[in-house]
Every structure is written in structure tokens, then in C-alpha cells.
């Protein structure tokens, strides 16, 4: 058996990996190899595979090192050869970077070590070679600091406590009477290295490692360790990245962006990640290293002249000041800019997707350190997909597959009301880092954001700058405002990924964490005060601004049209008011898949009549109350049918247990006693009589209609009469009457009979007929198991996967919140089965019922109306098992339309693959 390969080299045209090997080499490693293969300049290096990370976690450090030891030695020699340098050498030392790189990009979540290989000897070599001792010693002190933090655990536990290295730097700056790091001399840097090392010795009890090999192994293992750090685990959870994937480690020859005024480092995008516009853009810093651009410490400059001018306008900076202090790369280094422009064009054409690149310029020589498909907002995602389709870069299927259905959500939600915003006062301006509107109460700390949001408050997280530790708080906030940082700062990148509104780098605001205040526009805001953000313009407003629904035409409309052409499943909505029905139609719903009639009984007179019906002594009393309810129900149904204009409407008969409608409080009971002319104690006794131990498994669904047929009669009459009234007004109405919670054919049959007899009565009274269907929910496991029998009576099935999940797992829908999060945390369940359909278990019942139902009734109409009907992976399942439609809440309709198209494309692709 040949030995498994764990180390892949790159750095000559024969890179051992390629872009297809992401699972093994991680995104960064695979793309470095690919760039190398297509002739883009990358510093030579090697990638240690993700398999080693998994083995390291399973079997420990020694085991992992043993597997790769020889190969890593060879790989370092390979880099030495290409660079003509030697690891740990006194005269010509090779320095390397050690970086993580998982299959899916996890920006800023894991650790990196730069300048590795430096020690007291090598630093002299670098100083002599570069002729720049300050640079050499600055690199050295950065290395000790980074290595100390990442590998030796010197990093402070929480950001409130102080970083030992930063304290030392502040001390020396004070002593020298300077403000900026750049004002420190080579000797100062030398002093810093000494003091840093002493701090390491003091805190860890060990000397800082001088041996480059010891440094290298320490860094490699630390990167593997960082796969399991808290923020990486949280990021994976939020982005559904499995823990088993592991990270690869990339070791690469260092190139320096901080060698002087002819060196720089930056981040660039082939298109605008916020709007999707086809404009090359990005930021860079002269004489800076590695993470300086994304860290948000210095104000980065724009790469293109056009971008630079736009930025200056937003930041209120004059053209003279811009040119002098913040020139674009296009102006500062035109030849390098030209090369970078060509590289980005090549990369986008090669990958056929928007690229997010990191680069370094050392002595005016360009090096690419990374390229990946760029994260983008929902709006940018749609625009880029549709533009690339028009440009002929991708085909229609690909354009559809490029849009993440859940990201569409960002386009569907409200933006600021134009009038309200025109009257609002702008108190600050920053960069439009992530679009959308956000309004809420100011908080200054991520944990407060989390806490306040949990209490149901809407908050805006305000920070000087954010760090990966703030992830949870950012996720809880409506929006994020930062004082520092550019378009590629941590806050901006993460917010765009989350689809959260973000304004970054609002330099004029003053944040005081201790006092919990924020000064802007001449006003001091306290924690809890209201502000609003516009992430599309960078404007910050005083107070809470009203929002309105967004426009749904343009690129979004084109994508939806395309999706409908590609989908086999069609999409209905769950709606029980004319307003919701209208919203859903505007979003493209082709009917109502579930109208929960119980929602129509609340409010005003209806609830009183409903209570009268439930609390009545006998059938006579119930009929009397039902007579009052009939016209109200009829009017409600007319509203819904009218909103749907001839599209099918599935109306479900009363489902929940009756006790949900009766008054449990003294006041309500007194009121009902008065209305019904009975004593309060009679009402009380009746309420008690209705209470159940397990209401979800109790007197509900068709059990109500079968014990009190008069309820089914009234509802059927209301539905049929409403439809006929509309027909009289020349408005088409297509009712489908749905029986809830059916478990046996007899239950269904009895309900069907009542419905049909009542409908016939109405037809006779009116002397005409209309078409209607009678069908059932399939939400009790027994119904799925006996679907062939039930289909004798039911003309359609709608899978109620909420109840079906409840009854298949035996998890109470109302109580599962207590243990499901723990189950997911412990890995007992991968997902919440009430959100993502459990295809393995519950799915089997659905599939079986589909087959059995069709066996009995070939043309039976099949759909789903549980929450899963709006969840992309569940929709894919529904497509695969052959349902006709999915039904979901109005705001999820576009998501479902896109997911339905993707399901069809994916299934055709896998069919083709199988049958090749
Ligand atoms: C279901 O059970 O999936 C369903 C749609 O019905 P409800 O949520 O109203 O019980
Ligand atoms: Mg149900």
C-alpha cells in the first residue's frame, strides 16, 4: 500500500495540489496551488492536509508529527531551494508564515503566525540583507508577540484584561515621548524583543524558543488547536460547518509589505461585495504587514483612483488631502497596480466568480497570498449571478446555483421609510460596510448585545473596532457601528457574511466604553438611547426611524423568473389574512397551502361567539353560537379568496384543542358569564372540564369535527358560500377543504361526508354548484402508514411536518426548546428537526405516504405546509420524493422558489453523474 500523502508542495509550476482539492488542502491551500499552476505569482510553500488536523485531534501531537515529520523537512528544503535561502541561517535566513485554511473560509477565526524563523542570529542576517535594521527588529518583535499570543498562550483571556505585550509597547512609547509605533527606532525594537522575551519567561516559566524547527512545529500545532477555539466553534455553528472537516496548515515563504515605502499589503475584490457592481476595488496600506489592513488600526487607502475619490467624498476629505495622505495604489505604484489589475481579471475569469484576494508588494514586486470566492451581501449575490450570466461567464443553471436561498432574506426585509429618513438628523457618517437598515438601542459590549436581544430589545452594537470575540454579540444586534476600520475590517467582513447592516470607520464618533457613552453630532448618547444606521450609505441617524418594504424588481425579479422556469415544485403560502395573502402573492406564491382557520377566531366579537360555542351546554347551544360565527367566517374567507384571485386556497378546518380559546382569567370568565347568562362558577367548571393533560395529543384536529360535527358544518358552509359569493361577483375562487390531524380512514371519511353533505345543501339552496376539493393533512404517523386507505377519501394530502416531527420523534413542539439546544450542542442531533426536516426518519414516512397515496389515487395532489416548506434542504427533499408544491410563510416564498429551482438542477446533475 502506498503511503498516504499529507504534505503538498507549491512554488514552481508543478504545484502538487489544485483548486479541486479543497477538502484536503483547505480553500487557501487549494487556491494557492491553483494560482501557482496558472502563473499568478505566489510565494513558495507547502500545505499540510486537513486529515492531519483530524488525526491530531483524535490521536494527539506526537502521532501527528510522526506522520509528517520527514515530509515537512523535505518541504522546507523545497522552499529553501526556490528562495535560495536557509531556515535559521545567519546570513540569508528563510522566514515563513504559518496559516490556517479550512475547506470553507472562516475569516479571522483561526490563528496565524508570521515571520517565523527569526532568532537573535537570523535577525542580524535580515538586517544586513535588507540594509534596514529597524525593519528586521520590528519583524522580530512582531514575531515574538504573535508567537507569544498564539502558540505560548500569552493572549489575554478577555479583551478587558490587558495584553502584556501592548503594555510593554505603551511603556516604551511613554519613555521615548512618542505616540506612534512607527516613531520607535531599531534600538527600541531591540529593547522590545528583550522585554517581550522576559515577559514570556515570566508568564510561562520557559525561554522563548530560538530553534526555528521548534518554532515551526509549535506554530503548526497551534494552528490545528485553533480549529477548536471558541470563536471558530461558534462560527462553524452559525455557518453549519461540520467540526470533522478540520483545517489545513499553509507554510509559506514570507514576503514583506513592511520593507519601506516601496512595499505594501492589501485586500482586493474583483467586484463590489456590498452592491455587486462590476468594479475592481480594495484597500491597501504602504509599509504594513499581514493583518494590518483588516485589523482596522490604520486607515487603509483605496486601490483604484475611482474608489479613492468615492471614498474621500464619503469621508469628507478634500482632493488635495486625499492625494497627499491617502493616494490610491493606481497613483502610488502604477506598474504594480497594472499587474494587480491583470491578475484579478485572470483570477475572476479562471474561477468564474467574484474573487477576494490578499496581496503583498515587496520592493514593488507583487505577490498573491490568497484568493477565494468573495463573501457578499444578498443583493450583491443576486446582481453578480445575473451579471455573470449576461457576460457569458456562467450559464442559467449556474446563475441559480450561485445564490444562497437564505441570503435572499436580506433583500426582502424593510428599508428606511423615505419620508421618515428625510426628516431624520444625520449625526455621523462612516463607510457603507454592509447594506440594509437598522434601528435600535445603543450598547457597547458584545455580551450586552446578546443579553438585551434575548430580552427582546433591538440593539445597535457600537464599538471602536470589533474583533472575532464579538461575533455572538454582532449576530444578536440589528446593526453594527464602528469608529475605526475600513471596508475590509473585521466588522465589515463579518457583518456582510451575516447579512447585518454595518457602518464602519465613522471616525468622528467618540466611544467611551467605561462611561458607556457615545458622542456624535454634538450629542452624548447613553447606553439604551436610540440610533439608526443606513449600511448602504454609511449614514448614522439620531433616534428610531420607521422602515418600509423593499422594491422587488430588477435583478431579483429576473432571478425569480429564471428560477420558476427551472423549478418543478411550485410554491404556495401559509396565510390566514388577506394582507398576508397579498404579500405572498407579491412574492410569487401560486396559492395558499394552509389557511389556519383558528387564527380567524381571535379578536373582537369573534372570540366571544367562539367562546359561547365552546362553553355551550349542548348541541343546541353550540349551533346557536355557530350561527353567529358563520357570517364572520364567511366574510374572512371572502377576503382571502379575493386576495388570491382564482389561485387555489387550502382552508383547514378548526385544529387546536378548544381549551385554547376559553378564558382562563377571572375577568374573561366574568364577561362570558354575563354574555351567556350563567354563573361564573358554571363557566369556571366548564373551563376546568376542558383542560387536558396532553392537549397536543388530545381533543383537537378532526377529533373536534367528529365529536361536534356542527363545527365542520358551519365552517364548510362559510367556505362554500364565500366562494360562491365571489363567483357571483365574477371573481374566481377555488376552495380546497382540509381535514386536520387525520389518523384513520374512518375519521377522514366521516369528515368528508359532513363536508360533502353540507356543500350539497348550499348548492341546492343556491341552485348552482362550484368545484372544490376535500383532502387532509398527513401529520399523524398512522396516517402516513395507512395513506393508501386515506387516499380513498382524500383528494389531496398536505404534509404537516410540524406535528409529524413531534409525533415521530415523540418531542413535544412546545417543550423541545428545553433540550434541543443541548442535543445539538452535544451532537446527538445535527439540526433542530422542527426547522430542518429529518429526512432519515420523518422523511421516510413522507416518502411512504407519497407512494401509497399515489397507488390509490394516481392524480392525488401532494404538498407540504409544515415549517419545513420554507427551508432549502427540506425543499430539496420534497422535490426528490415527488411532491407537487411546498407551502411556507409569505416572506419565505422567494427563498422557496429559488430552492425549488436549485433542487431540480441538483437532482438533474446527480442523475447525469450517476448515468454517465
Ligand atoms: C403541521 O403540523 O405541520 C402544521 C402545518 O399544522 P400546525 O402547525 O398548525 O399544527
Ligand atoms: Mg399540525
Amino acid at each position: 500500500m502506498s503511503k498516504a500523502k499529507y504534505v503538498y508542495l507549491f512554488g514552481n509550476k508543478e504545484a502538487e495540489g489544485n483548486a479541486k482539492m479543497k477538502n484536503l488542502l483547505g480553500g487557501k491551500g487549494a487556491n494557492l496551488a491553483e494560482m501557482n499552476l496558472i502563473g499568478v505569482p505566489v510565494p513558495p510553500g507547502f500545505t499540510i492536509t486537513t486529515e492531519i488536523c483530524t488525526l491530531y485531534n483524535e490521536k494527539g501531537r506526537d502521532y501527528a508529527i510522526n506522520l509528517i515529520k520527514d515530509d515537512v523537512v523535505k518541504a522546507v528544503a523545497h522552499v529553501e531551494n526556490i528562495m535560495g535561502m536557509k531556515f535559521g541561517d545567519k546570513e540569508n535566513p528563510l522566514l515563513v508564515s504559518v496559516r490556517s485554511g479550512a475547506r470553507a473560509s472562516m475569516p479571522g477565526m483561526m490563528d496565524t503566525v508570521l515571520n517565523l524563523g527569526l532568532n537573535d542570529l537570523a535577525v542580524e542576517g535580515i538586517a544586513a540583507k535588507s540594509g534596514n535594521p529597524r525593519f528586521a527588529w520590528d519583524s522580530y518583535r512582531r514575531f515574538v508577540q504573535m508567537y507569544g499570543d498564539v502558540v505560548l498562550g500569552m493572549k489575554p483571556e478577555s479583551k478587558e484584561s490587558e495584553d502584556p505585550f501592548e503594555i510593554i509597547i505603551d511603556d516604551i512609547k511613554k519613555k521615548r515621548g512618542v505616540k506612534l509605533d512607527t516613531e520607535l527606532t531599531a534600538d527600541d525594537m531591540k529593547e522590545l524583543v528583550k522585554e517581550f522575551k522576559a515577559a514570556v519567561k515570566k508568564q510561562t516559566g520557559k525561554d522563548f524558543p530560538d530553534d526555528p524547527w521548534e518554532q515551526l512545529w509549535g506554530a503548526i500545532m497551534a494552528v490545528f488547536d485553533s480549529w477548536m477555539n471558541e470563536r471558530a466553534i461558534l462560527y462553524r455553528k452559525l455557518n453549519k460547518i461540520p467540526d470533522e472537516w478540520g483545517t489545513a496548515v499553509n507554510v509559506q515563504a514570507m514576503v514583506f509589505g513592511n520593507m519601506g515605502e516601496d512595499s505594501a499589503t492589501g485586500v482586493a475584490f474583483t467586484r463590489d461585495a456590498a452592491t455587486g457592481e462590476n468594479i475592481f476595488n480594495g484597500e491597501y496600506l504602504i509599509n504594513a504587514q499581514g493583518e494590518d489592513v483588516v485589523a482596522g488600526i490604520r486607515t487603509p487607502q483605496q486601490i483604484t483612483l475611482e474608489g479613492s475619490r468615492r471614498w474621500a467624498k464619503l469621508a469628507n476629505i478634500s482632493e488635495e488631502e486625499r492625494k497627499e495622505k491617502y493616494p490610491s495604489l493606481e497613483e502610488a505604484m502604477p506598474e504594480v497596480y497594472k499587474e494587480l489589475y491583470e491578475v484579478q481579471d485572470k483570477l475572476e475569469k479562471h474561477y468564474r466568480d467574484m474573487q477576494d484576494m490578499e496581496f503583498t508588494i515587496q520592493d514593488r514586486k507583487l505577490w498573491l497570498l490568497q484568493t477565494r470566492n468573495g463573501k457578499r451581501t444578498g443583493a450583491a449575490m443576486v446582481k453578480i449571478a445575473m451579471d455573470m450570466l449576461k457576460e457569458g461567464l456562467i450559464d442559467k443553471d449556474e446563475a441559480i446555483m450561485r445564490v444562497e436561498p437564505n441570503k435572499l432574506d436580506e433583500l426582502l426585509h424593510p428599508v428606511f421609510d423615505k419620508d421618515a429618513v428625510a426628516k431624520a438628523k444625520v449625526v455621523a457618517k462612516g463607510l457603507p460596510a454592509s447594506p440594509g437598515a437598522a434601528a435600535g438601542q445603543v450598547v457597547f459590549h458584545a455580551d450586552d448585545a446578546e443579553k438585551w436581544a434575548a430580552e427582546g430589545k433591538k440593539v445597535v452594537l457600537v464599538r471602536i473596532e470589533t474583533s472575532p470575540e464579538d461575533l455572538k454579540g454582532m449576530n444578536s444586534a440589528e446593526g453594527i457601528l464602528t469608529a475605526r476600520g475600513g471596508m475590509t475590517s473585521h466588522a465589515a467582513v463579518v457583518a456582510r457574511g451575516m447579512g447585518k447592516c454595518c457602518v464602519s470607520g465613522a471616525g468622528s464618533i467618540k466611544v467611551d466604553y467605561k462611561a458607556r457613552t457615545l458622542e456624535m453630532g454634538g450629542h452624548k448618547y447613553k447606553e439604551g438611547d436610540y440610533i439608526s444606521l443606513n449600511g448602504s450609505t454609511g449614514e448614522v441617524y439620531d433616534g428610531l426611524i420607521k422602515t418600509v418594504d423593499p422594491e422587488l424588481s430588477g435583478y431579483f425579479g429576473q432571478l425569480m423568473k429564471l428560477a420558476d422556469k427551472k423549478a418543478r415544485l411550485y410554491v404556495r403560502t401559509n396565510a390566514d389574512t388577506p394582507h398576508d395573502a397579498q404579500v405572498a402573492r407579491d412574492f410569487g406564491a401560486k396559492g395558499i397551502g394552509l389557511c389556519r382557520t383558528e387564527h380567524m377566531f381571535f379578536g373582537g366579537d369573534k372570540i366571544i361567539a367562539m367562546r359561547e360555542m365552546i362553553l355551550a351546554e349542548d348541541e343546541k347551544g353550540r349551533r346557536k353560537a355557530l350561527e353567529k360565527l358563520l357570517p364572520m367566517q364567511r366574510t374572512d374567507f371572502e377576503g382571502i379568496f379575493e386576495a388570491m384571485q382564482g389561485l387555489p386556497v387550502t382552508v383547514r378546518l378548526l385544529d387546536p384543542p378548544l381549551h385554547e380559546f376559553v378564558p382562563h382569567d377571572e375577568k374573561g370568565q366574568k364577561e362570558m358569564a354575563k354574555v351567556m347568562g350563567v354563573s361564573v362558577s358554571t363557566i369556571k367548571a366548564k373551563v376546568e372540564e376542558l383542560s387536558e393533560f396532553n392537549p397536543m395529543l388530545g381533543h383537537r384536529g378532526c377529533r373536534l369535527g367528529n365529536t361536534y360535527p356542527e363545527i365542520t358544518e358551519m365552517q364548510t358552509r362559510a367556505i362554500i358560500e364565500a366562494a360562491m359569493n365571489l363567483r357571483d361577483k365574477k371573481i374566481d375562487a377555488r376552495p380546497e377543504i382540509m381535514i386536520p390531524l387525520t389518523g384513520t380512514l374512518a375519521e377522514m371519511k366521516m369528515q368528508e361526508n359532513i363536508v360533502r353533505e353540507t356543500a350539497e345543501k348550499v348548492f341546492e339552496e343556491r341552485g348552482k354548484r362550484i368545484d372544490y376539493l376535500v383532502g387532509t393533512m398527513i401529520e399523524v404517523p398512522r396516517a402516513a402508514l395507512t395513506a393508501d386507505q386515506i387516499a380513498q377519501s382524500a383528494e389531496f394530502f398536505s404534509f404537516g411536518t410540524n406535528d409529524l416531527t413531534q409525533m415521530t420523534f415523540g418531542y413535544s413542539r412546545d417543550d423541545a426548546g428545553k433540550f434541543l439546544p443541548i442535543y445539538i450542542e452535544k451532537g446527538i442531533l445535527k439540526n433542530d428537526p422542527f426547522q430542518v426536516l429529518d429526512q432519515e426518519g420523518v422523511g421516510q414516512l413522507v416518502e411512504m405516504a407519497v407512494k401509497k397515496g399515489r397507488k390509490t389515487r394516481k392524480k392525488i395532489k401532494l404538498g407540504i405546509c409544515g415549517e419545513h416548506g420554507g427551508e432549502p434542504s427540506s425543499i430539496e427533499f420534497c422535490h426528490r420524493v415527488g411532491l407537487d408544491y411546498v407551502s411556507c410563510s409569505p416572506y419565505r416564498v422567494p427563498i422557496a422558489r429559488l430552492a425549488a429551482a436549485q433542487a431540480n438542477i441538483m437532482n438533474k446533475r446527480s442523475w447525469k453523474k450517476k448515468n454517465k
Side-chain angles (χ1 to χ4, degrees):
M1 211 174 79
S2 69
K3 199 174 145 247
K5 187 167 172 63
Y6 297 119
V7 176
Y8 286 74
L9 309 178
F10 55 86
N12 50 35
K13 293 243 164 167
E14 273 112 67
E16 293 178 322
N18 63 52
K20 294 204 179 93
M21 296 169 76
K22 281 206 175 84
N23 295 0
L24 206 56
L25 304 180
K28 193 181 288 166
N31 286 331
L32 279 167
E34 186 81 9
M35 283 197 281
N36 197 182
L37 289 173
I38 63 170
V40 171
V42 296
F46 58 93
T47 305
I48 304 171
T49 66
T50 52
E51 288 176 344
I52 291 292
C53 181
T54 309
L55 288 166
Y56 169 75
N57 284 327
E58 277 171 19
K59 304 199 170 170
R61 180 186 170 106
D62 290 347
Y63 184 89
I65 292 184
N66 248 333
L67 279 179
I68 52 174
K69 208 156 133 200
D70 295 345
D71 290 340
V72 168
V73 170
K74 275 186 218 150
V76 169
H78 153 89
V79 180
E80 287 175 333
N81 275 341
I82 296 178
M83 297 297 286
M85 294 169 144
K86 209 140 181 62
F87 206 33
D89 194 59
K90 201 166 96 187
E91 255 120 55
N92 197 12
L94 170 71
L95 303 190
V96 295
S97 65
V98 181
R99 294 168 196 258
S100 60
R103 217 191 275 194
S105 97
M106 296 169 54
M109 295 302 130
M110 287 180 285
D111 289 329
T112 289
V113 180
L114 303 177
N115 303 338
L116 189 142
L118 272 168
N119 54 26
D120 292 347
L121 284 182
V123 72
E124 297 297 350
I126 301 272
K129 229 183 106 197
S130 65
N132 187 344
R134 189 192 179 279
F135 156 73
W137 284 96
D138 185 26
S139 302
Y140 195 10
R141 73 96 193 159
R142 282 171 187 255
F143 167 58
V144 176
Q145 183 169 359
M146 216 176 214
Y147 198 91
D149 280 344
V150 170
V151 186
L152 305 176
M154 299 281 289
K155 211 182 231 169
E157 288 282 309
S158 80
K159 42 188 183 326
E160 311 306 340
S161 63
E162 310 240 313
D163 183 330
F165 299 122
E166 290 300 331
I167 297 173
I168 297 171
I169 297 178
D170 283 346
D171 275 356
I172 207 163
K173 281 202 276 196
K174 247 185 239 149
K175 262 193 238 157
R176 304 288 184 262
V178 297
K179 277 206 173 120
L180 302 172
D181 293 6
T182 45
E183 294 173 278
L184 294 173
T185 64
D187 282 341
D188 296 335
M189 294 295 175
K190 214 176 207 172
E191 179 63 26
L192 280 179
V193 170
K194 208 171 106 203
E195 290 188 26
F196 281 2
K197 286 188 169 182
V200 167
K201 175 89 185 195
K202 194 169 153 217
Q203 194 168 320
T204 66
K206 284 190 201 137
D207 285 324
F208 187 86
D210 273 335
D211 174 13
W213 283 100
E214 188 185 341
Q215 293 172 359
L216 181 62
W217 287 113
I220 291 172
M221 297 305 146
V223 171
F224 283 144
D225 279 332
S226 69
W227 176 253
M228 295 310 275
N229 75 29
E230 221 176 279
R231 60 174 194 260
I233 292 173
L234 175 68
Y235 186 91
R236 289 201 292 274
K237 205 178 265 169
L238 289 173
N239 292 281
K240 300 224 174 304
I241 299 171
D243 285 343
E244 309 83 82
W245 281 4
T247 180
V249 175
N250 298 292
V251 179
Q252 227 179 338
M254 280 297 302
V255 285
F256 296 94
N258 57 341
M259 275 265 207
E261 295 305 303
D262 283 339
S263 299
T265 184
V267 176
F269 300 87
T270 58
R271 298 187 189 218
D272 191 317
T275 64
E277 272 174 286
N278 189 0
I279 299 176
F280 174 47
N281 67 99
E283 292 172 338
Y284 80 109
L285 278 174
I286 289 201
N287 200 6
Q289 187 176 36
E291 316 292 284
D292 291 353
V293 180
V294 288
I297 297 161
R298 277 166 61 189
T299 302
Q301 290 153 238
Q302 298 297 308
I303 290 179
T304 67
L305 177 58
E306 189 190 348
S308 183
R309 288 196 169 135
R310 256 206 227 185
W311 167 84
K313 211 166 162 197
L314 278 171
N316 253 338
I317 287 172
S318 70
E319 176 64 6
E320 291 69 43
E321 191 185 349
R322 182 197 72 73
K323 258 194 192 156
E324 153 111 22
K325 285 201 196 149
Y326 310 104
S328 64
L329 183 69
E330 194 171 351
E331 295 158 290
M333 300 185 196
E335 309 80 45
V336 185
Y337 170 79
K338 194 168 159 260
E339 193 187 346
L340 180 63
Y341 188 87
E342 277 157 17
V343 164
Q344 65 90 23
D345 192 48
K346 184 174 192 170
L347 286 173
E348 183 175 286
K349 288 205 173 103
H350 183 73
Y351 285 100
R352 297 181 306 116
D353 201 354
M354 188 260 269
Q355 295 299 294
D356 161 357
M357 300 151 293
E358 277 177 29
F359 65 90
T360 283
I361 299 163
Q362 178 178 327
D363 284 332
R364 296 199 172 237
K365 159 113 187 78
L366 174 70
W367 296 97
L368 267 286
L369 302 184
Q370 165 153 305
T371 192
R372 59 188 169 199
N373 294 339
K375 289 201 184 305
R376 61 204 81 173
T377 62
M381 191 173 272
V382 174
K383 178 165 164 51
I384 291 173
M386 298 317 289
D387 279 348
M388 287 193 165
L389 172 64
K390 272 179 229 149
E391 290 159 24
L393 269 179
I394 55 176
D395 64 14
K396 286 181 185 160
D397 284 4
E398 192 58 41
I400 287 174
M401 295 306 293
R402 284 284 172 89
V403 182
E404 242 175 81
N406 283 328
K407 275 256 184 196
L408 285 183
D409 206 32
E410 287 170 38
L411 279 76
L412 309 178
H413 285 285
V415 291
F416 284 137
D417 174 273
K418 274 204 187 88
D419 294 336
V421 92
K423 282 185 222 133
K425 187 174 153 209
V426 176
V427 282
K429 211 162 175 197
L431 297 172
S434 182
Q441 292 175 278
V442 171
V443 291
F444 296 97
H445 298 280
D447 42 359
D448 290 331
E450 252 187 284
K451 216 165 39 205
W452 289 39
E455 288 164 11
K457 293 177 184 156
K458 293 196 158 148
V459 299
V460 173
L461 178 63
V462 180
R463 302 281 305 162
I464 297 175
E465 66 207 23
T466 64
S467 71
E469 282 87 359
D470 297 329
L471 200 64
K472 252 186 172 166
M474 292 171 74
N475 198 36
S476 310
E478 299 295 306
I480 299 128
L481 168 64
T482 70
R484 289 199 206 140
M487 295 291 282
T488 46
S489 64
H490 172 265
V493 171
V494 172
R496 278 199 295 274
M498 285 177 175
K500 285 261 147 144
C501 159
C502 174
V503 173
S504 70
S508 67
I509 70 170
K510 281 202 189 70
V511 179
D512 184 339
Y513 288 145
K514 268 210 189 111
R516 299 189 179 228
T517 57
L518 156 70
E519 265 185 76
M520 53 184 185
H523 182 77
K524 197 179 257 183
Y525 293 81
K526 293 188 298 297
E527 183 178 68
D529 287 349
Y530 284 94
I531 61 167
S532 302
L533 309 179
N534 185 340
S536 312
T537 61
E539 274 150 340
V540 183
Y541 297 91
D542 179 55
L544 198 69
I545 304 178
K546 207 176 118 201
T547 53
V548 290
D549 290 339
E551 297 263 340
L552 294 173
S553 49
Y555 291 98
F556 175 82
Q558 292 167 19
L559 174 73
M560 285 292 114
K561 236 191 218 157
L562 197 60
D564 287 348
K565 273 193 203 140
K566 292 279 171 182
R568 185 190 58 72
L569 277 175
Y570 68 96
V571 180
R572 292 194 186 188
T573 192
N574 295 354
D576 16 80
T577 64
H579 173 263
D580 283 1
Q582 189 60 51
V583 170
R585 269 200 51 200
D586 293 343
F587 282 148
K590 296 269 167 51
I592 288 183
L594 174 63
C595 168
R596 290 176 164 107
T597 50
E598 53 271 15
H599 291 178
M600 299 170 154
F601 288 118
F602 288 101
D605 294 348
K606 287 185 224 172
I607 189 67
I608 303 283
M610 182 70 178
R611 284 175 174 171
E612 241 185 287
M613 188 275 288
I614 297 167
L615 298 168
E617 264 311 298
D618 50 19
E619 188 186 325
K620 199 169 144 233
R622 272 195 299 277
R623 283 197 183 274
K624 204 175 120 215
L626 284 167
E627 242 162 66
K628 288 189 204 167
L629 279 171
L630 174 67
M632 302 185 209
Q633 280 256 283
R634 195 170 47 217
T635 312
D636 285 339
F637 291 138
E638 282 171 4
I640 298 236
F641 287 137
E642 187 165 2
M644 293 315 281
Q645 294 284 319
L647 293 171
V649 176
T650 305
V651 183
R652 183 178 72 187
L653 304 185
L654 194 64
D655 181 28
L658 297 178
H659 82 96
E660 279 193 15
F661 297 93
V662 293
H664 294 278
D665 61 323
E666 186 88 21
K667 193 173 153 245
Q669 291 178 353
K670 272 191 186 150
E671 188 188 4
M672 282 317 295
K674 207 167 143 202
V675 170
M676 295 175 70
V678 294
S679 69
V680 178
S681 59
T682 310
I683 301 286
K684 252 197 191 122
K686 189 78 190 175
V687 170
E688 254 161 54
E689 189 191 314
L690 285 167
S691 117
E692 294 175 308
F693 286 109
N694 286 313
M696 274 302 202
L697 301 175
H699 196 186
R700 62 172 283 218
C702 65
R703 299 159 206 170
L704 289 173
N706 280 329
T707 48
Y708 300 145
E710 52 278 12
I711 301 179
T712 303
E713 280 171 31
M714 183 280 285
Q715 289 203 290
T716 305
R717 182 172 275 278
I719 297 165
I720 300 288
E721 286 183 351
M724 294 185 91
N725 288 350
L726 282 193
R727 295 275 184 107
D728 289 346
K729 286 199 261 173
K730 304 267 177 291
I731 299 170
D732 192 9
R734 298 183 180 213
E736 299 177 348
I737 298 174
M738 180 152 77
I739 312 301
L741 223 73
T742 302
T744 72
L745 172 62
E747 275 180 318
M748 176 63 205
K749 196 86 205 130
M750 187 171 284
Q751 285 294 287
E752 187 203 351
N753 289 343
I754 300 168
V755 170
R756 297 216 184 271
E757 277 161 21
T758 309
E760 284 306 319
K761 259 189 220 154
V762 179
F763 296 155
E764 234 166 73
E765 286 162 18
R766 300 213 170 190
K768 48 185 157 182
R769 336 179 44 88
I770 57 163
D771 289 335
Y772 68 98
L773 298 179
V774 187
T776 183
M777 301 276 294
I778 299 286
E779 52 184 343
V780 173
R782 195 185 187 284
L785 295 166
T786 60
D788 46 348
Q789 295 173 32
I790 290 173
Q792 290 169 27
S793 162
E795 290 174 293
F796 64 88
F797 287 168
S798 178
F799 290 94
T801 42
N802 304 334
D803 271 309
L804 194 58
T805 299
Q806 167 168 261
M807 289 185 236
T808 305
F809 273 96
Y811 295 164
S812 156
R813 279 164 76 171
D814 303 316
D815 303 308
K818 293 201 181 111
F819 59 86
L820 276 184
I822 303 166
Y823 262 39
I824 291 164
E825 177 102 30
K826 293 195 166 183
I828 299 171
L829 289 174
K830 272 217 165 79
N831 296 298
D832 175 347
F834 289 106
Q835 286 172 16
V836 178
L837 186 76
D838 161 48
Q839 299 183 14
E840 211 181 353
V842 179
Q844 254 192 73
L845 287 171
V846 174
E847 201 170 357
M848 178 191 295
V850 166
K851 284 192 184 133
K852 286 187 175 230
R854 286 227 169 93
K855 211 166 131 206
T856 302
R857 192 187 287 266
K858 211 168 147 215
K859 294 221 163 127
I860 190 166
K861 202 190 271 193
L862 300 170
I864 179 176
C865 63
E867 283 311 298
H868 308 91
E871 193 281 318
S873 72
S874 314
I875 293 171
E876 196 272 332
F877 171 83
C878 293
H879 171 93
R880 217 169 344 110
V881 298
L883 298 195
D884 298 308
Y885 69 87
V886 296
S887 187
C888 56
S889 62
Y891 273 95
R892 293 205 74 84
V893 167
I895 296 168
R897 286 164 72 192
L898 180 65
Q902 293 189 341
N904 203 9
I905 294 167
M906 275 189 282
N907 279 278
K908 273 191 193 139
R909 281 181 182 176
S910 67
W911 188 89
K912 262 191 203 155
K913 219 173 177 181
K914 259 193 258 154
N915 293 282
K916 233 187 197 165

